[in-house]
Short mmCIF file of all heavy atoms in Angstrom, two decimals:
data_model
loop_
_atom_site.label_atom_id
_atom_site.label_comp_id
_atom_site.label_asym_id
_atom_site.label_seq_id
_atom_site.Cartn_x
_atom_site.Cartn_y
_atom_site.Cartn_z
N GLY Y 1 55.44 -20.24 15.83
CA GLY Y 1 53.98 -20.24 15.69
C GLY Y 1 53.40 -21.63 15.54
O GLY Y 1 54.10 -22.59 15.20
N ASP Y 2 52.13 -21.73 15.81
CA ASP Y 2 51.40 -22.99 15.56
C ASP Y 2 49.92 -22.69 15.44
O ASP Y 2 49.47 -21.57 15.70
CB ASP Y 2 51.68 -24.03 16.66
CG ASP Y 2 51.12 -23.61 18.01
OD1 ASP Y 2 51.73 -22.76 18.69
OD2 ASP Y 2 50.06 -24.13 18.39
N VAL Y 3 49.16 -23.70 15.05
CA VAL Y 3 47.73 -23.56 14.83
C VAL Y 3 46.98 -23.92 16.10
O VAL Y 3 47.29 -24.94 16.74
CB VAL Y 3 47.27 -24.44 13.66
CG1 VAL Y 3 45.76 -24.27 13.42
CG2 VAL Y 3 48.04 -24.11 12.39
N HIS Y 4 46.02 -23.12 16.45
CA HIS Y 4 45.23 -23.34 17.66
C HIS Y 4 44.27 -24.51 17.44
O HIS Y 4 43.47 -24.51 16.51
CB HIS Y 4 44.44 -22.07 17.99
CG HIS Y 4 43.70 -22.13 19.28
ND1 HIS Y 4 44.31 -22.36 20.50
CD2 HIS Y 4 42.37 -21.99 19.56
CE1 HIS Y 4 43.42 -22.33 21.46
NE2 HIS Y 4 42.23 -22.13 20.91
N HIS Y 5 44.40 -25.55 18.29
CA HIS Y 5 43.53 -26.73 18.20
C HIS Y 5 43.45 -27.24 16.76
O HIS Y 5 42.36 -27.33 16.17
CB HIS Y 5 42.12 -26.42 18.72
CG HIS Y 5 42.09 -26.11 20.18
ND1 HIS Y 5 41.07 -25.40 20.78
CD2 HIS Y 5 42.95 -26.42 21.18
CE1 HIS Y 5 41.30 -25.28 22.07
NE2 HIS Y 5 42.45 -25.89 22.35
N PHE Y 6 44.60 -27.60 16.23
CA PHE Y 6 44.73 -27.86 14.79
C PHE Y 6 43.80 -28.96 14.30
O PHE Y 6 42.91 -28.72 13.46
CB PHE Y 6 46.18 -28.19 14.45
CG PHE Y 6 46.41 -28.51 13.00
CD1 PHE Y 6 45.87 -27.74 11.99
CD2 PHE Y 6 47.19 -29.61 12.64
CE1 PHE Y 6 46.09 -28.03 10.65
CE2 PHE Y 6 47.41 -29.90 11.31
CZ PHE Y 6 46.86 -29.12 10.32
N PHE Y 7 43.96 -30.19 14.79
CA PHE Y 7 43.18 -31.31 14.25
C PHE Y 7 41.67 -31.11 14.43
O PHE Y 7 40.89 -31.34 13.49
CB PHE Y 7 43.64 -32.63 14.86
CG PHE Y 7 44.87 -33.20 14.22
CD1 PHE Y 7 46.13 -32.92 14.72
CD2 PHE Y 7 44.78 -34.00 13.10
CE1 PHE Y 7 47.27 -33.43 14.13
CE2 PHE Y 7 45.91 -34.52 12.48
CZ PHE Y 7 47.16 -34.23 13.00
N PRO Y 8 41.20 -30.67 15.60
CA PRO Y 8 39.75 -30.46 15.74
C PRO Y 8 39.21 -29.32 14.88
O PRO Y 8 37.99 -29.21 14.71
CB PRO Y 8 39.60 -30.13 17.24
CG PRO Y 8 40.82 -30.66 17.90
CD PRO Y 8 41.91 -30.51 16.89
N SER Y 9 40.10 -28.46 14.35
CA SER Y 9 39.65 -27.28 13.61
C SER Y 9 39.72 -27.43 12.10
O SER Y 9 39.29 -26.52 11.37
CB SER Y 9 40.48 -26.06 14.02
OG SER Y 9 40.38 -25.82 15.41
N ILE Y 10 40.28 -28.52 11.60
CA ILE Y 10 40.44 -28.67 10.15
C ILE Y 10 39.07 -28.67 9.47
O ILE Y 10 38.21 -29.50 9.76
CB ILE Y 10 41.22 -29.95 9.82
CG1 ILE Y 10 42.67 -29.82 10.31
CG2 ILE Y 10 41.18 -30.25 8.32
CD1 ILE Y 10 43.50 -31.06 10.11
N ASN Y 11 38.88 -27.73 8.56
CA ASN Y 11 37.61 -27.57 7.87
C ASN Y 11 37.47 -28.61 6.77
O ASN Y 11 38.31 -28.73 5.88
CB ASN Y 11 37.54 -26.15 7.27
CG ASN Y 11 36.22 -25.88 6.58
OD1 ASN Y 11 36.03 -26.24 5.43
ND2 ASN Y 11 35.31 -25.25 7.30
N HIS Y 12 36.37 -29.37 6.81
CA HIS Y 12 36.18 -30.46 5.86
C HIS Y 12 36.07 -29.97 4.42
O HIS Y 12 36.68 -30.55 3.50
CB HIS Y 12 34.93 -31.26 6.23
CG HIS Y 12 35.08 -32.07 7.47
ND1 HIS Y 12 34.15 -33.00 7.90
CD2 HIS Y 12 36.08 -32.10 8.40
CE1 HIS Y 12 34.56 -33.56 9.03
NE2 HIS Y 12 35.72 -33.03 9.35
N ASP Y 13 35.31 -28.92 4.19
CA ASP Y 13 35.14 -28.43 2.82
C ASP Y 13 36.47 -27.94 2.25
O ASP Y 13 36.80 -28.22 1.08
CB ASP Y 13 34.11 -27.31 2.78
CG ASP Y 13 32.68 -27.82 2.92
OD1 ASP Y 13 32.48 -29.03 2.69
OD2 ASP Y 13 31.79 -27.03 3.26
N PHE Y 14 37.23 -27.21 3.04
CA PHE Y 14 38.53 -26.73 2.57
C PHE Y 14 39.44 -27.90 2.25
O PHE Y 14 40.10 -27.92 1.20
CB PHE Y 14 39.17 -25.83 3.63
CG PHE Y 14 40.54 -25.30 3.24
CD1 PHE Y 14 40.65 -24.17 2.45
CD2 PHE Y 14 41.70 -25.96 3.63
CE1 PHE Y 14 41.89 -23.68 2.07
CE2 PHE Y 14 42.95 -25.48 3.26
CZ PHE Y 14 43.05 -24.35 2.48
N LEU Y 15 39.49 -28.89 3.14
CA LEU Y 15 40.34 -30.06 2.92
C LEU Y 15 39.92 -30.82 1.66
O LEU Y 15 40.77 -31.21 0.85
CB LEU Y 15 40.28 -30.99 4.13
CG LEU Y 15 40.97 -32.35 4.01
CD1 LEU Y 15 42.45 -32.18 3.67
CD2 LEU Y 15 40.80 -33.16 5.29
N LYS Y 16 38.63 -31.01 1.46
CA LYS Y 16 38.17 -31.73 0.28
C LYS Y 16 38.55 -30.99 -1.01
O LYS Y 16 38.91 -31.63 -2.01
CB LYS Y 16 36.65 -31.94 0.35
CG LYS Y 16 36.23 -32.93 1.42
CD LYS Y 16 34.70 -33.00 1.51
CE LYS Y 16 34.26 -33.93 2.63
NZ LYS Y 16 32.79 -33.97 2.77
N ARG Y 17 38.49 -29.68 -0.98
CA ARG Y 17 38.89 -28.91 -2.16
C ARG Y 17 40.38 -29.10 -2.45
O ARG Y 17 40.78 -29.22 -3.62
CB ARG Y 17 38.58 -27.43 -1.95
CG ARG Y 17 37.11 -27.08 -1.97
CD ARG Y 17 36.87 -25.60 -2.21
NE ARG Y 17 37.49 -24.77 -1.19
CZ ARG Y 17 36.90 -24.41 -0.06
NH1 ARG Y 17 35.67 -24.83 0.22
NH2 ARG Y 17 37.52 -23.63 0.81
N GLN Y 18 41.18 -29.15 -1.40
CA GLN Y 18 42.61 -29.35 -1.60
C GLN Y 18 42.90 -30.75 -2.14
O GLN Y 18 43.76 -30.93 -3.01
CB GLN Y 18 43.37 -29.12 -0.28
CG GLN Y 18 43.25 -27.72 0.27
CD GLN Y 18 43.57 -26.66 -0.76
OE1 GLN Y 18 44.60 -26.71 -1.44
NE2 GLN Y 18 42.68 -25.68 -0.89
N ILE Y 19 42.19 -31.73 -1.64
CA ILE Y 19 42.38 -33.12 -2.12
C ILE Y 19 42.03 -33.20 -3.60
O ILE Y 19 42.72 -33.87 -4.39
CB ILE Y 19 41.52 -34.09 -1.29
CG1 ILE Y 19 42.10 -34.21 0.13
CG2 ILE Y 19 41.46 -35.46 -1.96
CD1 ILE Y 19 41.25 -35.03 1.06
N ARG Y 20 40.99 -32.50 -4.01
CA ARG Y 20 40.56 -32.54 -5.41
C ARG Y 20 41.49 -31.76 -6.33
O ARG Y 20 41.34 -31.84 -7.56
CB ARG Y 20 39.12 -32.02 -5.51
CG ARG Y 20 38.11 -33.08 -5.08
CD ARG Y 20 36.77 -32.49 -4.65
NE ARG Y 20 35.79 -33.55 -4.39
CZ ARG Y 20 35.77 -34.31 -3.29
NH1 ARG Y 20 36.68 -34.13 -2.35
NH2 ARG Y 20 34.85 -35.24 -3.13
N ARG Y 21 42.44 -31.06 -5.79
CA ARG Y 21 43.48 -30.43 -6.59
C ARG Y 21 44.57 -31.45 -6.97
O ARG Y 21 45.47 -31.13 -7.76
CB ARG Y 21 44.10 -29.25 -5.85
CG ARG Y 21 43.14 -28.07 -5.67
CD ARG Y 21 43.74 -26.98 -4.79
NE ARG Y 21 44.93 -26.39 -5.41
CZ ARG Y 21 44.92 -25.41 -6.29
NH1 ARG Y 21 43.75 -24.88 -6.67
NH2 ARG Y 21 46.04 -24.91 -6.79
N THR Y 22 44.48 -32.65 -6.38
CA THR Y 22 45.46 -33.70 -6.69
C THR Y 22 44.80 -34.96 -7.22
O THR Y 22 45.30 -35.59 -8.15
CB THR Y 22 46.28 -34.04 -5.43
OG1 THR Y 22 47.00 -32.88 -4.99
CG2 THR Y 22 47.28 -35.17 -5.69
N ILE Y 23 43.66 -35.33 -6.64
CA ILE Y 23 42.97 -36.57 -7.01
C ILE Y 23 41.68 -36.24 -7.75
O ILE Y 23 40.88 -35.40 -7.29
CB ILE Y 23 42.63 -37.41 -5.76
CG1 ILE Y 23 43.90 -37.72 -4.96
CG2 ILE Y 23 41.92 -38.71 -6.17
CD1 ILE Y 23 44.91 -38.55 -5.71
N SER Y 24 41.45 -36.90 -8.88
CA SER Y 24 40.21 -36.71 -9.62
C SER Y 24 39.44 -38.02 -9.79
O SER Y 24 38.37 -38.02 -10.41
CB SER Y 24 40.49 -36.09 -11.00
OG SER Y 24 41.42 -36.87 -11.73
N ASP Y 25 39.97 -39.11 -9.26
CA ASP Y 25 39.29 -40.41 -9.33
C ASP Y 25 38.07 -40.36 -8.40
O ASP Y 25 38.21 -40.31 -7.17
CB ASP Y 25 40.27 -41.52 -8.90
CG ASP Y 25 39.70 -42.91 -9.14
OD1 ASP Y 25 38.59 -43.18 -8.66
OD2 ASP Y 25 40.38 -43.72 -9.80
#
C-alpha cells in the first residue's frame, strides 16, 4: 500500500497538531 499523492495531500492543520505533540517552544 501507499498514500495517494502523499506530499501534495499532507494536511497542514493535522501536521501542526502532531508537531505540537513533541515541540512546545
